[in-house]
Amino acid sequence: MDAVPGQKRVDLACVGFGPSGIALAAAIEECGDNRDPTGLTSRFFEARTSSAWHPNFILAGSDINHHFLRDLATPRDPRSQFTFVNYLKTNGRLYDFGRLGRAPSRQEWSDYVQWVAAQLAANVSYCDPVQQVRPRFEGDELVELSVDARSGPVSTTNLVVSVGAEPTIPTVFRSLMGDRVFHTSEYERRILGLPKTPRSIVVIGAGQSAGEAIFDLRQRFPNSSIIGIQRSSGFKLYDLSQFSNAVYCPPETDYFYGLPPSRKSTAFAETVRTNYSGLDAEICSALYQQVYEDAVARMPRITLLTRRAVSHVQASASAISLSVKDVNSDAAEVITSDAVVLATGFHVNPLPGLLQNMRSSIRMNEWGQPLVNRDYSLSLSGPSRVRIYLNGLCEHSHGIGDGQSFSMVALRAEAIVRSVLRSRDSSAERHDQSSSPELVSL
Ligand SMILES: Cc1cc2nc3c(=O)[nH]c(=O)nc-3n(C[C@H](O)[C@H](O)[C@H](O)COP(=O)(O)OP(=O)(O)OC[C@H]3O[C@@H](n4cnc5c(N)ncnc54)[C@H](O)[C@@H]3O)c2cc1C
């Protein structure tokens, strides 16, 4: 059955050991009978050196925007050893956290994520990006996948793709990415390489990361001018109403999944402001107050250029020049700066690059999106012994909670593990029936 004779084989291989992958590893440990390990053999591949959660954008004072009970395990089983509450208890902060009266900081959440990851490290290889996935066919039937990581290939019949969202880089900036033009996903690393006193830094975008970056840059560089450029008429608040937050709760998955495909994009668009292109009220107030107090002190430091789009960018040794146009009047101007931070967000690619060479085996809808079953497995076009699951990439099929959010990670992990167990059991049954004719005749 090996793709290559002697190649290591596991029941389940997972690409990516961020929160979605970690929650899956936890579910494999606890979803057997009586909450025992399932007995599935697994391998998790992570490109980075650790499972630190978005380590390049853990800014001072930032906190998580979901409820802490929506952690890597609690919604699946509050008695799990991998809950945030158990993390607090183990680290001697249960009562102290209770008195804190606010959400955990991003710093603390990253520490929690790493605490869980460390307990599950036995089957994880870090610094081990998966470069490609190769299918193996017997006749028409897809019988196995080879997951080709830097450390070597592993074969499996259950692949879970947990690669997260990809940074969105506007076309005009693509050729300039590097030390002076960078996305927020590289923020901490790149900021350290900037001159001590830049004259000005541009931040592109109008979402949470733009607000946080502008605020942070103003504190970090006391003599620099910070220029925000955004298409919209100004920062908009996230929709954080308790009522609209219901789209992150389990019944939404059944509702959204059951919608006719032609209705999904409209239904999705209506929920977008709960997670994208917005700013939370806290950072919005803090930023506004800062701009105001700078004006009172007659030392304006932050300039917000709204309704502007960048049409062209040119970099010379001494500066970066951005040609900017008003989106309504077309009035043009040129802004010069020492660095540009792209707070342009992320996008979920439901068919990541790794799966592109299997495109012809994956059924697609008329909008070019992969068809995904309710258990998060891809719908495949021919006979197959293989299952490929999308973990954290299913907002187009399952709704906004199944994209980049913690809300569903624990329950989704359980659903995937149970699906793998079902297919293992049914193929074992098929095998028993074909190899034990005496039993069949009973
Ligand atoms: C700054 C920031 C703050 C956020 N705050 C919140 C919040 O408060 N609440 C919330 O619900 N959501 C938040 N999010 C969304 C957040 O991304 C998700 O909730 C969570 O990180 C998703 O986990 P994931 O494992 O699906 O993706 P990721 O966290 O992106 O993890 C994917 C992992 O896959 C690895 N990988 C990718 N390709 C390969 C490959 N080929 N081989 C091996 N490894 C690979 C990556 O290195 C990465 O570690 C935030 C996002 C950002 C950027």
Side-chain angles (χ1 to χ4, degrees), residues 14-22 45-48 50-54 57-58 63-66 70 106 109 125 128-132 162-165 184-185 208-209 212 248 275 346 354 391-393 403-407 409 412:
C14 178
V15 187
F17 203 57
S20 298
I22 299 167
F45 301 95
E46 171 51 53
R48 295 186 301 119
S50 79
S51 289
W53 183 55
H54 297 303
F57 212 60
I58 303 258
D63 58 15
I64 64 167
N65 59 24
H66 60 281
R70 298 183 196 172
R106 248 182 237 159
W109 199 254
S125 46
D128 203 6
V130 171
Q131 279 127 2
Q132 62 169 347
S162 292
V163 295
T184 49
S185 54
Q208 180 78 9
S209 53
E212 290 181 5
Y248 294 94
N275 200 29
F346 294 79
L354 279 179
N391 189 13
L393 308 173
Q404 287 292 292
S405 155
F406 267 87
S407 296
V409 289
R412 187 171 62 235

Side-chain angles (χ1 to χ4, degrees), residues 38-241:
T38 54
L40 291 172
T41 56
S42 60
R43 194 84 210 147
F44 289 76
F45 301 95
E46 171 51 53
R48 295 186 301 119
T49 53
S50 79
S51 289
W53 183 55
H54 297 303
N56 276 309
F57 212 60
I58 303 258
L59 303 181
S62 63
D63 58 15
I64 64 167
N65 59 24
H66 60 281
H67 193 279
F68 66 82
L69 290 179
R70 298 183 196 172
D71 60 19
L72 298 169
T74 301
R76 169 174 61 75
D77 182 355
R79 292 159 295 182
S80 161
Q81 61 170 311
F82 302 113
T83 64
F84 180 66
V85 170
N86 191 29
Y87 157 82
L88 291 174
K89 172 82 177 165
T90 307
N91 286 280
R93 291 204 303 275
L94 189 62
Y95 280 88
D96 296 341
F97 177 76
R99 288 184 292 137
L100 190 62
R102 62 155 172 76
S105 65
R106 248 182 237 159
Q107 183 76 51
E108 183 172 28
W109 199 254
S110 181
D111 195 56
Y112 158 64
V113 169
Q114 289 175 86
W115 175 82
V116 178
Q119 295 175 69
L120 296 161
N123 298 320
V124 184
S125 46
Y126 287 102
C127 296
D128 203 6
V130 171
Q131 279 127 2
Q132 62 169 347
V133 175
R134 277 180 296 130
R136 184 168 76 85
F137 290 90
E138 276 176 12
D140 279 355
E141 189 177 25
L142 175 55
V143 293
E144 198 167 51
L145 300 173
S146 175
V147 180
D148 296 352
R150 183 186 280 162
S151 61
V154 165
S155 20
T156 190
T157 48
N158 293 291
L159 173 70
V160 183
V161 182
S162 292
V163 295
E166 297 170 11
T168 302
I169 312 291
T171 317
V172 282
F173 294 103
R174 281 193 193 149
S175 61
L176 300 169
M177 299 302 287
D179 292 346
R180 293 184 297 163
V181 180
F182 49 89
H183 187 263
T184 49
S185 54
E186 298 188 305
Y187 188 82
E188 288 289 354
R189 187 163 77 84
R190 296 289 188 187
I191 282 288
L192 297 175
L194 290 183
K196 277 211 162 42
T197 313
R199 284 157 299 177
S200 68
I201 303 177
V202 161
V203 176
I204 308 282
Q208 180 78 9
S209 53
E212 290 181 5
I214 291 172
F215 200 72
D216 182 72
L217 290 167
R218 188 203 168 279
Q219 321 300 342
R220 270 187 211 243
F221 298 105
N223 299 310
S224 308
S225 132
I226 315 301
I227 303 166
I229 299 181
Q230 41 194 248
R231 273 176 186 277
S232 61
S233 56
F235 283 111
K236 310 268 187 291
L237 291 183
Y238 275 134
D239 174 359
L240 294 178
S241 131

